[in-house]
Amino acid sequence: MGDRDPSVALPDGADPAARSLELRRAHAAFTRDGRVETPVRAVIARSWRRCARARLSPECAPRVELAEAELRPYREEHPLARVMPLFRDLVGAFAAHGAHLMAVCDARGSLLWVEGEPATLRRAESLGFVPGTRWAESAMGTNAPGTAVAVGEPVQVFGAEHFSRRAHPWTCAAAPVRDPRTGRLLGAVDITGGDGLAHPHSLAFVRAVARAAEAQLALLDEGPPAPRDCLTALGRDEALLVTGGRRVRLGRRHSEIMALLAHHPEGLSGEELAIALYEDESVSPVTLRAEMSRLRALLGTSAPLSRPYRTAGPLDADFTTLTRQLAAGAVSAALHPYPGPLLPASTAPGVVRLRRRIEDQARAALIARSDAGLLADWVCSAWGADDPEAWRALAAALPPEGRPAALARVRALDRELGSVVEVASAARRPGRRATYPQPARS
């Protein structure tokens, strides 16, 4: 589609003003009838088509996803916080000299840091290009940081190549940053400013900065491993324990034991642990001692200690991290990666109580937060699909044109709940026999 190098927004020798006019006409044609004209590069055309499929409006505006109270702890814990000094050294000076901005986003396209020349920062604030706002391609259309994390490649976006008309006065270039050990996408580093950034060197520059950040992360990870063990038990019937450099998949009973001990770092007596584990209170103490013996054989020096039963050392658990984040108000950081309830198949009384407490805390925070994206993730999950209050909250959080499907689901759940209540009520009436739906005869 026109350019010799499809990654470059403005080829050498091209007139920025003429190119900008061509792109504005092409953008108008696409938003009017879906037609992609010749000046549009293939990477931009593909992005525009994704925006159209997502039913984005070219008048879309960014929304704040991370309020200041939750943005601060989320940034401090984010892996890219470790390379922010490098970003400031390499990109910050370049941005300040050219009246540009440096931005860093996470893997979801949420802006974590936006820094640069004060006058340009004020202009960016009026655009909504500020920390805490979500600039994912699925939320704000074609833009360098959002599209870079969407496609996993460096991207340069010039003027009217942006899908949102609000961003047409700007040019940006961004490159994704990955975890050097696992290849997992961490986010992107971006430089944003005026037409001068449409130069091919801008894209090469952010690509080089991203590679430097990955190299720095690799060096930082060469130190000794953190001494804390880690237990993953959310959304899993069998927990995963990482200890002493090993990954151990635990059986169901051992998963329950480790989850309860992670929740009680002070330790539990044998009687307390048995009451939390077994529905039958008459279970002999020998049964618990046999389970602990098998667990010691499996974990060796990492096995729980006794008198009282407690973990051998500090143990981080995904559900304790979740509850800390929720308590701190970091709802988006807590619930975006939420994989499901704690040990969902467990019937151990202590685990059931803990699971309900975590679910209640998460659900209350979710509904109070009123974030359409988080609510949609919840109601589309196995644990939230039949939650009428979450569906109501989603309907309220959506724009008017997006509400009918959510409201239809609310009505369906209300009908189902009404039927259950009516049957239960009939069964309790004196002299009345409830009529239950009968299975079809074969």
Side-chain angles (χ1 to χ4, degrees):
M1 285 189 174
D3 293 338
R4 291 180 181 176
D5 182 353
S7 66
V8 174
L10 194 66
D12 286 333
D15 178 11
R19 179 74 166 177
S20 179
L21 180 60
E22 287 179 334
L23 289 170
R24 286 180 185 274
R25 289 172 177 164
H27 184 277
F30 181 81
T31 55
R32 182 178 61 249
D33 56 26
R35 176 168 46 89
V36 177
E37 297 189 345
T38 302
V40 181
R41 294 178 292 144
V43 64
I44 301 299
R46 289 192 294 269
S47 176
W48 283 4
R49 292 188 180 105
R50 289 193 295 270
C51 298
R53 287 195 296 271
R55 299 184 181 277
L56 283 178
S57 167
E59 309 304 330
C60 58
R63 293 180 56 186
V64 175
E65 184 180 68
L66 295 166
E68 182 61 31
E70 54 187 333
L71 176 63
R72 187 180 302 111
Y74 180 55
R75 287 197 303 198
E76 289 174 356
E77 295 180 4
H78 197 277
L80 291 180
R82 298 191 294 166
V83 290
M84 278 305 296
L86 180 143
F87 285 150
R88 291 187 177 109
D89 285 345
L90 297 180
V91 186
F94 176 78
H97 178 74
H100 305 315
L101 301 178
M102 175 192 71
V104 176
C105 72
D106 67 7
R108 297 185 68 230
S110 296
L111 298 181
L112 303 184
W113 291 272
V114 180
E115 302 176 3
E117 194 269 333
T120 311
L121 278 173
R122 287 192 293 272
R123 287 180 56 217
E125 287 174 5
S126 65
L127 172 67
F129 195 77
V130 295
T133 53
R134 190 156 182 243
W135 278 74
E137 187 185 78
S138 59
M140 275 301 293
T142 310
N143 70 90
T147 302
V149 296
V151 301
E153 298 290 342
V155 176
Q156 188 175 47
V157 182
F158 169 60
E161 289 182 332
H162 289 91
F163 190 77
S164 172
R165 290 193 179 96
R166 298 167 58 91
H168 283 187
W170 298 82
T171 295
C172 47
V177 182
R178 298 183 180 277
D179 185 315
R181 297 170 303 164
T182 66
R184 179 172 65 93
L185 182 67
L186 301 177
V189 58
D190 165 84
I191 187 162
T192 290
D195 290 352
L197 287 178
H199 196 281
H201 291 171
S202 301
L203 186 62
F205 175 64
V206 293
R207 184 187 286 116
V209 169
R211 299 296 81 77
E214 292 171 350
Q216 179 74 8
L217 288 171
L219 289 173
L220 292 172
D221 288 338
E222 286 183 354
R228 300 182 73 93
D229 294 345
C230 182
L231 182 73
T232 303
L234 290 174
R236 301 175 62 99
D237 293 332
E238 297 183 332
L240 179 68
L241 178 66
V242 178
T243 176
R246 292 191 300 149
R247 295 165 60 89
V248 182
R249 182 173 177 174
L250 303 174
R252 292 196 179 188
R253 185 64 78 191
H254 292 164
S255 298
E256 293 165 346
I257 291 171
M258 294 305 296
L260 290 166
L261 295 183
H263 182 58
H264 293 279
E266 73 283 1
L268 293 170
S269 68
E271 182 181 6
E272 290 171 330
L273 184 55
I275 291 172
L277 277 177
Y278 301 110
E279 296 174 90
D280 183 357
E281 296 184 3
S282 65
V283 169
S284 168
V286 174
T287 302
L288 176 59
R289 288 198 290 271
E291 287 289 358
M292 299 304 293
S293 178
R294 286 189 284 270
L295 186 55
R296 291 191 186 99
L298 177 67
L299 298 182
T301 57
S302 300
L305 307 176
S306 58
R307 297 181 183 179
Y309 288 117
R310 63 200 186 277
T311 58
L315 176 62
D316 289 328
D318 55 353
F319 59 89
T320 58
T321 300
L322 172 76
T323 55
R324 282 199 303 269
Q325 289 175 324
L326 290 173
V331 181
S332 296
L335 295 183
H336 167 61
Y338 183 62
L342 171 68
L343 299 176
S346 173
T347 58
V351 174
V352 170
R353 288 192 296 271
L354 179 57
R355 181 169 63 228
R356 287 174 179 165
R357 187 184 311 165
I358 294 170
E359 285 180 337
D360 289 346
Q361 184 183 3
R363 186 173 174 275
L366 174 79
I367 291 173
R369 182 74 169 82
S370 297
D371 181 281
L374 292 176
L375 285 162
D377 289 343
W378 184 272
V379 299
C380 290
S381 68
W383 55 88
D386 296 329
D387 187 338
E389 291 304 314
W391 278 103
R392 287 190 182 93
L394 175 60
L398 289 170
E401 62 273 15
R403 293 175 186 163
L407 291 173
R409 182 59 178 156
V410 169
R411 290 191 291 270
L413 288 172
D414 285 345
R415 285 194 300 270
E416 293 172 14
L417 183 60
S419 298
V420 171
V421 171
E422 183 178 348
V423 168
S425 177
R428 290 194 298 268
R429 291 177 196 150
R432 292 289 302 276
R433 176 174 293 182
T435 301
Y436 293 88
Q438 298 298 311
R441 294 183 179 178
S442 57

